[in-house]
Amino acid sequence: MTSIDRPAMRSRGSGLSLLLRTATAVQKREDARPRGLGARHRLSRRSEHLFVCLWAAGILPICLIEPHFGTFGQLVIGLAVAGGVTFMVWHESSWVRVQVLCAVAVACAVEFVGTHGMEWWDYRLGNLPAWVPPGHAGIFLISVILARTPAPRWLHHAAYAGLTAWSLWGLLLAERTDYSGVFGLLVIAAVRQHPVMRARIPWIIAVTVPCEFAGTLFGLYSYRPHDVTGLLLMGNPPSGLPGGYALVDFAALLMAGAVHQAWHRHRGSAEARSELASPPPAR
């Protein structure tokens, strides 16, 4: 390796570590922000938990009625979900809003690759339903809201033990062999090193697993036995899904950190330009 390559690799590594430190610092400041409508519009803890309960209660009715609707019905469901998520996001800080937007962008890119590129799963009507993007935003926002309350130790143990058991069952005992759980556990073990993700992952597992089982049980979508290469065998739903959601959340966190850095650099340069352009004070 030449001497020119080493500084480039060091700069890339330092850039990633800087993003991680920025995300950690901004998230700690966000978690310490006071609650109430007067405190930069954050909702109270009771209102946040009410939103989570309404989301959990609405999963079953949506899964029951969606198979009887066409594309227009999917649009109505999508608008209803988007309205609730938008109301909650509006009362969040700009840091959380940017994370939600980044999570939706990453998730929609994964949706396109998963359905058209790798052929991992299929939706009921062969399209991307209108409720999918706001659904991803809602799942991400719920994990952020719940992570503000430290997960009890039993939830950590139950989440990781249950996910490991599901992965082993799909790998060794299931009629439809599932390799995805191994990759999902590796992803979770990697992103869990970040303190922000360490607080979110148990809640991500607790939120996404029931949603995925409900969606596949009622036929909103189904996962294929293998991908387009025929090498990755999957269940329906695959046990690697929580790891996929954790990776999307981690990517959104890094993207939000990059946006935060770019915004502060732009604001700092704009302030410097304004100071240079302003006339000197009169003596």
Side-chain angles (χ1 to χ4, degrees):
M1 182 181 298
T2 63
S3 59
I4 299 177
D5 296 329
R6 292 193 186 96
M9 292 187 63
R10 282 198 297 269
S11 64
R12 286 195 293 268
S14 61
L16 178 59
S17 61
L18 181 59
L19 282 180
L20 294 175
R21 290 196 301 269
T22 300
T24 304
V26 179
Q27 188 63 46
K28 286 182 178 179
R29 188 167 66 246
E30 166 67 20
D31 293 339
R33 194 160 55 86
R35 297 175 181 273
L37 287 177
R40 292 180 62 187
H41 301 291
R42 171 181 282 192
L43 292 175
S44 64
R45 187 182 298 272
R46 180 179 299 179
S47 299
E48 291 178 345
H49 288 176
L50 177 61
F51 171 72
V52 174
C53 293
L54 289 175
W55 180 277
I59 291 176
L60 183 59
I62 290 176
C63 290
L64 287 174
I65 64 175
E66 202 274 350
H68 303 284
F69 286 167
T71 55
F72 180 75
Q74 291 178 341
L75 178 61
V76 173
I77 295 175
L79 290 175
V81 176
V85 174
T86 302
F87 174 79
M88 292 299 299
V89 172
W90 180 258
H91 291 90
E92 292 288 342
S93 65
S94 58
W95 168 248
V96 176
R97 294 176 194 170
V98 171
Q99 284 188 80
V100 171
L101 292 175
C102 292
V104 172
V106 175
C108 289
V110 173
E111 290 280 350
F112 180 81
V113 173
T115 54
H116 293 83
M118 302 304 296
E119 298 181 1
W120 284 330
W121 65 87
D122 298 296
Y123 285 99
R124 180 175 58 89
L125 299 180
N127 61 341
L128 181 65
W131 48 263
V132 170
H136 283 300
I139 289 175
F140 178 83
L141 183 59
I142 286 176
S143 67
V144 172
I145 291 174
L146 292 176
R148 290 169 183 161
T149 302
R153 183 169 297 181
W154 66 264
L155 180 59
H156 280 268
H157 295 332
Y160 294 128
L163 188 59
T164 302
W166 183 17
S167 301
L168 291 176
W169 179 81
L171 185 64
L172 303 175
L173 301 176
E175 295 182 1
R176 180 169 161 174
T177 306
D178 184 8
Y179 293 164
S180 65
V182 177
F183 299 101
L185 291 174
L186 293 176
V187 168
I188 287 177
V191 301
R192 188 180 177 274
Q193 304 304 314
H194 193 272
V196 176
M197 294 303 301
R198 191 179 304 122
R200 290 183 186 178
I201 285 176
W203 296 115
I204 291 173
I205 297 173
V207 171
T208 57
V209 171
C211 292
E212 290 295 337
F213 271 96
T216 54
L217 177 64
F218 291 99
L220 278 65
Y221 47 86
S222 62
Y223 291 85
R224 298 190 179 189
H226 54 80
D227 64 349
V228 69
T229 65
L231 300 176
L232 180 61
L233 305 182
M234 298 181 297
N236 187 38
S239 55
L241 282 174
Y245 278 101
L247 187 59
V248 170
D249 283 38
F250 186 62
L253 188 66
L254 291 180
M255 291 174 64
V259 172
H260 184 271
Q261 288 182 1
W263 166 252
H264 279 271
R265 283 198 300 267
H266 172 73
R267 189 171 65 176
S269 60
E271 291 176 354
R273 287 195 300 268
S274 64
E275 290 178 359
L276 292 174
S278 60
R283 294 182 179 179

